[in-house]
Every structure is written in C-alpha cells, then in structure tokens.
Amino acid sequence: MTSLSSSTFSDKDILNCDLRPSDSSSMLIKISTTVGSILRLPKTTTLVPIISYSSPHFPISTIYWKHHEFEIDGSRRKWYTLNYKPKLFSSTREWQWSPAHNSYVVKYKEHRWTAAPTHSRDSVVATLTPYKKHFLSELEPAILSLSPSLPAVEKAFLMLVMIYSERRRLEEKKEVRS
C-alpha cells in the first residue's frame, strides 16, 4: 500500500465538520451541509478548502443529495453516470469522474472504506475509517486518508465518494434497526 496522508473529521457528523490534516503539508477543509426545512434531509454538502499550506489548488466540491449529483470545480455529474456495480450481488462499486480520469473500486470491509484503481486493486489510494463509539470512553474520530500523488480533482472526487458512501451505509444501518 502506498503512503497515505491522513485527516481527521472534527465531529462524528461528517457532513458538518472540519477535516483536519495530521501534518502541516495538507489543508484544512470545511464540510457543511444545508438541510430541508420540513424533513431535515440533506440538500447539499460542500467541501471548501480553508487553509492550504503547500498543496496545489483544491477545487470546491459539492454533493447535491436531492439531485443525485457531484460537482467538482464547476462540473456537475449525475451519480448514475459515475458508478456501477461490476457484479449483481457485489458489495463493491466502481467509480470514475470522467473517461480522462482513473476508475476506482470502492468497497466497505472490516470497518473501513477503501478505494483502489481498477487496474491495480492492491494499491489502495484512499480510505475512510468511520468514527467508533467506545463504551464509557470518548469517540474515536473518523479518518480520511488519501494518496498525496493523486491529482486534486481525483482527491476531491474520492472525498465525495467516501462521504457519500458512508452516509448511505449509515442510512441503511438505521433502516435495518427500525
């Protein structure tokens, strides 16, 4: 596995928090979500770079929950054009921002999300470990790790995919309990 740069979510609500780098070579990202007035369902989640240390341009990125779209640096695309399941009963999905970019296999296994290029599934380039509740102790925060060698657009895309995937997993988990 390649060396990944990690950032910690400042709150268990990954749709409304700061994404804080573990080192000073990355950037602080503000994640904020607007919600509807009646059902309080998320409408848009936006990732905005706040402080950039030595990082190249990081595009403002948005998830449009109601319209089922991602937006990166002004380009909007529907989710159904970005992902598919390679097999009918597979827990993996393949995601690709555009034909000019790599496609990634994204899966949830052993309490974490991983993304690896389709052509090299052993090379994990992104992970998201959700927060963990511990009985009688503090929460262990969620951690997002990305390969520093990824282009900025692909980092932004994988961040959106990971946040989207984790929110969907939590929704499904909540539905099963009901």
Side-chain angles (χ1 to χ4, degrees):
M1 178 158 69
T2 42
S3 177
L4 304 177
S5 295
S6 297
S7 296
T8 304
F9 289 87
S10 64
D11 192 274
K12 75 176 191 172
D13 178 4
I14 65 171
L15 299 182
N16 290 293
C17 64
D18 293 334
L19 191 54
R20 296 188 174 127
S22 58
D23 63 10
S24 62
S25 67
S26 298
M27 71 185 78
L28 173 69
I29 294 176
K30 178 80 174 159
I31 302 171
S32 57
T33 301
T34 60
V35 293
S37 56
I38 299 173
L39 296 177
R40 309 288 302 155
L41 296 173
K43 291 169 85 176
T44 61
T45 299
T46 305
L47 284 68
V48 178
I50 302 299
I51 302 170
S52 180
Y53 297 99
S54 61
S55 298
H57 166 73
F58 184 85
I60 295 175
S61 311
T62 305
I63 302 172
Y64 294 95
W65 298 101
K66 184 178 175 183
H67 300 289
H68 304 260
E69 295 175 326
F70 288 158
E71 179 177 359
I72 300 173
D73 220 11
S75 292
R76 273 173 92 152
R77 297 198 172 93
K78 293 277 189 193
W79 296 337
Y80 73 84
T81 66
L82 304 174
N83 80 79
Y84 67 94
K85 278 188 171 184
K87 296 178 185 161
L88 185 60
F89 296 107
S90 173
S91 63
T92 35
R93 288 197 177 273
E94 290 188 18
W95 290 85
Q96 184 176 28
W97 178 243
S98 76
H101 294 92
N102 285 327
S103 64
Y104 298 94
V105 175
V106 177
K107 64 183 172 182
Y108 184 79
K109 187 176 181 183
E110 297 173 4
H111 194 69
R112 78 176 187 162
W113 289 98
T114 60
T118 309
H119 65 276
S120 175
R121 293 179 184 220
D122 294 332
S123 268
V124 173
V125 295
T127 64
L128 172 63
T129 305
Y131 78 91
K132 295 177 189 161
K133 282 185 192 176
H134 294 288
F135 188 68
L136 297 177
S137 66
E138 290 186 27
L139 289 175
E140 196 173 314
I143 297 172
L144 177 71
S145 302
L146 295 163
S147 170
S149 64
L150 287 170
V153 168
E154 291 194 27
K155 282 182 185 177
F157 178 61
L158 288 172
M159 286 177 158
L160 295 178
V161 168
M162 295 291 192
I163 291 169
Y164 161 85
S165 299
E166 177 60 8
R167 179 175 179 273
R168 295 294 300 258
R169 184 188 74 83
L170 292 173
E171 279 181 348
E172 289 171 7
K173 190 174 163 182
K174 198 184 289 185
E175 287 172 10
V176 169
R177 282 194 214 149
S178 308

